[in-house]
């Protein structure tokens, strides 16, 4: 039974082959694809212009991935929505809808949990449960678009999980999301955020996908980085930044360097100086994020003055830099905290 085809993860080409295999005319594939990826149907039953027999056959041969909304938190300040989704196997994941003047952006999870172990991150506290399938990443966007009633124009793969650790499903997700036969979101409006897995960055550069690459830097040297991110023991900054540069050369896409400021750990001006030195010659900008404290660790946010001084230093050196606006401040647990609090509650109850 578990061998059923995950039909919502198939590309249009693959769906045509699939239809032929089950004895259907390939032209039916376009209709079915439209139901799955444009009309965003929740089940085969909704596909009323397909015959009952065909729907029954599809249900028998394939699995229709559909996420159930377990919880939604809506910010009273800026309309940001945090979603908790339940998967078919009972696992839960979270996603966020952020409303900007340039459009609606959805932040999706790529894995259930994470095995990267970044010290400040709630998503990784219980390790990796499993990878998400392409259809499960996709339906986060679909369900949010349906629930909010508004078009999603940007997608950032910055929720729980490390996209390079679930590479093939993430690439498949991006191709489906940006397919002209589906939601047709511009590839330029998709961002992949990584903790710095060098072979993954190199591979992504070869995909011929003009997506934005965001690197979670968080430190100006390997020593500090190792105290925050265990992955720094596997890849050195010089190799990561060489791969990033190569990414820019191959794709022409400017990079984003994410830097979470943690009081007393990575936020003094000497560190700003080292950071400016480190990324000299790179094409991209720095996004400073005041760390979002989690109760399991005693990391604190840098104070406003330190954050602004850090920004001013980089600016003086000619590096484009922004301080990330905190969205949904009133509902915003840190990345992965909604899922974590849900799970802790359900274990103790
Ligand atoms: N694994 C990927 C994508 C998921 S994390 C990556 O590492 O980039 C998305 C971003 O949020 C990363 O930059 C991550 O370091 C950051 N992040 C996670 N928890 C955080 C917290 N508590 N405060 C600030 N930034 C956090």
């Amino acid at each position: 039974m578990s061998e059923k085809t995950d039909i919502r993860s198939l590309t249009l080409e693959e769906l045509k082959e699939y239809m032929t295999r089950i004895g259907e005319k390939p032209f039916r594939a376009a209709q079915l694809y439209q139901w799955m990826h444009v009309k965003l149907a929740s089940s085969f039953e909704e596909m009323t212009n397909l015959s009952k027999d065909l729907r029954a056959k599809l249900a028998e041969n394939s699995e229709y991935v559909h996420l159930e909304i377990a919880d939604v938190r809506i910010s009273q300040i800026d309309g940001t929505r945090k979603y908790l989704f339940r998967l078919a196997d009972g696992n839960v994941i979270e996603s966020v809808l952020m409303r900007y003047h340039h459009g609606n952006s959805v932040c999706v999870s790529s894995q259930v949990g994470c095995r990267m172990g970044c010290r400040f991150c709630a998503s990784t506290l219980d390790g990796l449960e499993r990878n998400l399938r392409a259809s499960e990443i996709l339906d986060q966007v679909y369900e949010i678009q349906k629930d909010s009633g508004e078009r999603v124009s940007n997608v950032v793969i910055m929720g729980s999980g490390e996209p390079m650790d679930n590479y093939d499903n993430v690439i498949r997700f991006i191709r489906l999301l940006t397919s002209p036969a589906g939601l047709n979101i511009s590839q330029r409006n998709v961002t992949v955020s990584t903790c710095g897995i060098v072979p993954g960055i190199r591979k992504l550069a070869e995909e011929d996908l003009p997506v934005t690459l965001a690197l979670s830097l968080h430190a100006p040297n390997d020593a500090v980085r190792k105290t925050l991110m265990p992955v720094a023991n596997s890849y050195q900054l010089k190799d990561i930044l060489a791969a990033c540069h190569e990414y820019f050369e191959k794709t022409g896409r400017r990079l984003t360097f994410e830097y979470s400021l943690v009081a007393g750990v990575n936020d003094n001006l000497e560190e700003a100086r080292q950071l400016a030195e480190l990324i000299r010659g790179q094409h991209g900008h720095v996004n400073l994020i005041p760390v979002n404290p989690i109760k399991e660790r005693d990391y604190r946010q840098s104070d406003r003055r330190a954050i602004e001084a850090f920004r001013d230093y980089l600016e003086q050196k000619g590096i484009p830099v922004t301080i990330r606006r905190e969205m949904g401040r009133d509902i915003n647990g840190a990345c992965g905290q909604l899922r974590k609090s849900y799970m802790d509650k359900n274990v103790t109850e």
Side-chain angles (χ1 to χ4, degrees):
M1 289 299 276
S2 60
E3 289 310 301
K4 282 185 172 185
T5 301
D6 170 15
I7 200 163
R8 260 184 142 185
S9 284
L10 300 182
T11 63
L12 182 55
E13 279 313 304
E14 290 166 341
L15 191 62
K16 284 180 185 159
E17 286 163 24
Y18 175 79
M19 292 302 254
T20 311
R21 232 180 313 130
I22 64 166
E24 294 292 327
K25 297 266 183 303
F27 79 87
R28 288 270 173 223
Q31 259 180 326
L32 181 55
Y33 196 89
Q34 197 186 37
W35 275 113
M36 293 195 289
H37 302 287
V38 179
K39 296 182 187 167
L40 313 183
S42 311
S43 66
F44 292 123
E45 284 91 84
E46 288 177 26
M47 305 179 182
T48 44
N49 64 352
L50 301 186
S51 74
K52 268 211 160 96
D53 285 352
L54 175 55
R55 282 184 268 156
K57 192 168 174 183
L58 290 169
E60 202 176 299
N61 288 291
S62 67
E63 181 183 349
Y64 198 86
V65 164
H66 165 65
L67 310 188
E68 188 192 321
I69 298 179
D71 195 7
V72 194
R73 306 263 166 97
I74 303 177
S75 166
Q76 299 305 308
I77 302 170
D78 54 31
T80 295
R81 294 175 180 221
K82 264 208 157 186
Y83 288 85
L84 192 70
F85 288 111
R86 191 174 296 105
L87 308 173
D89 64 0
N91 274 307
V92 292
I93 52 170
E94 61 182 86
S95 328
V96 188
L97 167 68
M98 289 158 291
R99 297 187 153 100
Y100 297 105
H101 36 262
H102 63 263
N104 288 335
S105 184
V106 167
C107 173
V108 293
S109 291
S110 56
Q111 296 180 310
V112 183
C114 183
R115 61 188 181 115
M116 294 299 130
C118 297
R119 300 283 299 159
F120 44 80
C121 179
S123 300
T124 199
L125 289 168
D126 298 316
L128 176 68
E129 181 67 34
R130 70 170 173 87
N131 281 332
L132 290 177
R133 301 177 189 174
S135 53
E136 292 170 322
I137 311 176
L138 206 50
D139 205 36
Q140 297 171 52
V141 180
Y142 292 175
E143 291 307 314
I144 290 178
Q145 175 152 312
K146 281 200 287 183
D147 185 67
S148 67
E150 289 173 24
R151 193 183 129 76
V152 172
S153 54
N154 292 66
V155 171
V156 297
I157 309 174
M158 273 192 197
S160 298
E162 167 52 44
M164 300 302 186
D165 195 34
N166 184 17
Y167 188 88
D168 292 345
N169 290 330
V170 165
I171 296 298
R172 179 174 281 278
F173 158 71
I174 297 171
R175 296 202 189 279
L176 290 165
L177 181 77
T178 61
S179 157
L183 280 196
N184 198 15
I185 290 177
S186 166
Q187 292 180 339
R188 290 168 187 280
N189 293 353
V190 175
T191 298
V192 177
S193 178
T194 178
C195 62
I197 308 225
V198 172
I201 297 173
R202 293 239 155 87
K203 211 164 154 195
L204 186 64
E206 302 294 336
E207 295 284 351
D208 199 22
L209 278 175
V211 297
T212 299
L213 180 68
L215 173 69
S216 297
L217 203 48
H218 306 324
N221 59 58
D222 287 311
V224 172
R225 201 160 189 264
K226 282 178 192 172
T227 69
L228 292 171
M229 305 171 75
V231 71
N233 293 302
S234 307
Y235 302 104
Q236 291 182 14
L237 280 172
K238 71 171 181 18
D239 298 327
I240 300 172
L241 287 163
C244 286
H245 191 66
E246 194 181 307
Y247 189 84
F248 170 79
E249 295 277 299
K250 290 238 159 82
T251 63
R253 303 291 298 157
R254 299 176 70 80
L255 302 144
T256 300
F257 298 103
E258 292 162 278
Y259 196 103
S260 294
L261 287 159
V262 187
V265 175
N266 63 2
D267 67 341
N268 68 33
L269 285 183
E270 168 54 22
E271 282 148 350
R273 189 192 65 73
Q274 288 181 24
L275 175 61
E277 193 63 28
L278 182 72
I279 60 173
R280 211 162 45 132
Q282 293 278 346
H283 301 265
H285 72 277
V286 173
N287 198 201
L288 296 174
I289 312 158
V291 77
N292 208 332
I294 56 173
K295 69 173 191 311
E296 290 81 359
R297 305 268 187 262
D298 55 7
Y299 291 126
R300 284 178 301 107
Q301 264 185 17
S302 310
D303 62 41
R304 201 71 210 170
R305 268 210 326 257
I307 296 174
E308 283 168 6
F310 202 97
R311 177 199 57 194
D312 293 347
Y313 184 91
L314 295 177
E315 239 163 28
Q316 269 171 32
K317 293 286 163 188
I319 295 172
V321 53
T322 48
I323 299 174
R324 183 179 295 175
R325 189 155 66 91
E326 281 184 85
M327 299 291 284
R329 220 190 139 74
D330 51 337
I331 53 163
N332 219 11
C335 185
Q337 270 191 335
L338 181 56
R339 168 169 178 265
K340 177 90 178 100
S341 63
Y342 176 88
M343 294 204 327
D344 291 350
K345 209 170 113 220
N346 283 22
V347 168
T348 49
E349 262 174 8

